[in-house]
Amino acid sequence: MPSSSLPNKGADRRSFLMATVSTAAAPLLPGAPGAAAATAPATENPHKPVDAIVKVNGRDHQLAFDVRTSLLDLLREHLGLTGTKKGCDHGQCGACTVLLDGRRELSCLTLAVTVQGRNVTTIEGLAPNGELHPMQQAFIDHDAFQCGYCTPGQIMSAVACVNEGHAGSDADIREYMSGNLCRCAAYPNIVEAVKQAKPAMKTASRD
Ligand code: FES
Ligand code: FES
């Protein structure tokens, strides 16, 4: 068969692709039928910073930040409060625990914009004048850490655990502290620290 009578497969394929692409793109071309319907309405820049006042450790901070910012990133990146640690950033380890109106919360799972009007307490806020909180002192007394990375979260959680009335026994303390992981396995010492701090917290009437 003469080559001129062979079907030009390359050309056919190109024509097919061109036809497909131009059909698909037609609504996007200015002036093409359907172009107006496909044009997205003009919206505000979703990354525009939002203004918010956030109260941390008894002090109001006027800030502007991306609405998607987590409380953890706000504390660390915007306020320089690096005592609160980022472990997993997924709500799994407890390293980022802070108190919101006295209740423990995972700051990595909390949007910063939602804490307006609430009191955020971080590890820095437990010793505002350099005097250690009874729980901080107890962690030192009982060597309740090794690398120390989980320790701020453990201490914040331990303070709330006592205030919630969940430190009545070793088993209770283990149960209600189980959301705070320690890769160094300082768990027995942490239980002892919580037991020591509990009566001292009542006496001192501290958070
Ligand atoms: S960093 Fe928030 S739970 Fe791990
Ligand atoms: S002290 Fe190292 S992770 Fe807890």
Side-chain angles (χ1 to χ4, degrees):
M1 187 183 293
S3 62
S4 58
S5 63
L6 284 171
N8 187 340
K9 289 188 180 163
D12 284 351
R13 187 167 175 275
R14 256 198 314 277
S15 312
F16 172 74
L17 287 174
M18 287 297 288
T20 308
V21 168
S22 54
T23 306
L28 304 176
L29 297 172
T39 305
T43 53
E44 243 189 285
N45 174 9
H47 306 311
K48 187 178 164 198
V50 291
D51 294 315
I53 297 174
V54 179
K55 187 172 199 167
V56 181
N57 299 329
R59 208 179 126 209
D60 282 335
H61 299 269
Q62 172 107 43
L63 300 162
F65 51 85
D66 189 312
V67 74
R68 299 165 297 177
T69 307
S70 70
L71 177 57
L72 175 58
D73 286 340
L74 187 89
L75 294 170
R76 293 180 57 85
E77 311 296 335
H78 292 249
L79 296 176
L81 295 172
T82 54
T84 305
K85 301 300 184 213
K86 183 179 283 191
C88 63
D89 210 17
H90 280 87
Q92 306 278 315
C93 71
C96 65
T97 305
V98 297
L99 304 183
L100 269 187
D101 296 333
R103 293 172 61 89
R104 45 186 158 171
E105 296 285 350
L106 298 174
S107 60
C108 72
L109 295 187
T110 305
L111 284 173
V113 75
T114 66
V115 305
Q116 291 181 88
R118 304 182 68 185
N119 292 308
V120 182
T121 308
T122 68
I123 189 75
E124 291 90 347
L126 287 191
N129 303 315
E131 183 197 349
L132 292 182
H133 187 283
M135 192 63 77
Q136 292 173 308
Q137 188 60 55
F139 267 64
I140 293 170
D141 294 345
H142 288 276
D143 263 342
F145 48 81
Q146 287 182 45
C147 76
Y149 198 81
C150 73
T151 309
Q154 298 279 3
I155 290 175
M156 299 311 288
S157 206
V159 167
C161 181
V162 170
N163 288 337
E164 290 161 9
H166 289 143
S169 66
D170 287 19
D172 260 4
I173 295 169
R174 284 199 192 94
E175 175 67 23
Y176 285 96
M177 291 292 292
S178 61
N180 289 79
L181 305 184
C182 176
R183 294 291 297 270
C184 302
Y187 298 115
N189 308 50
I190 291 171
V191 172
E192 291 308 312
V194 175
K195 282 159 53 181
Q196 174 183 307
K198 184 181 162 192
M201 279 174 63
K202 280 203 178 117
T203 308
S205 179
R206 299 274 300 267
D207 279 341

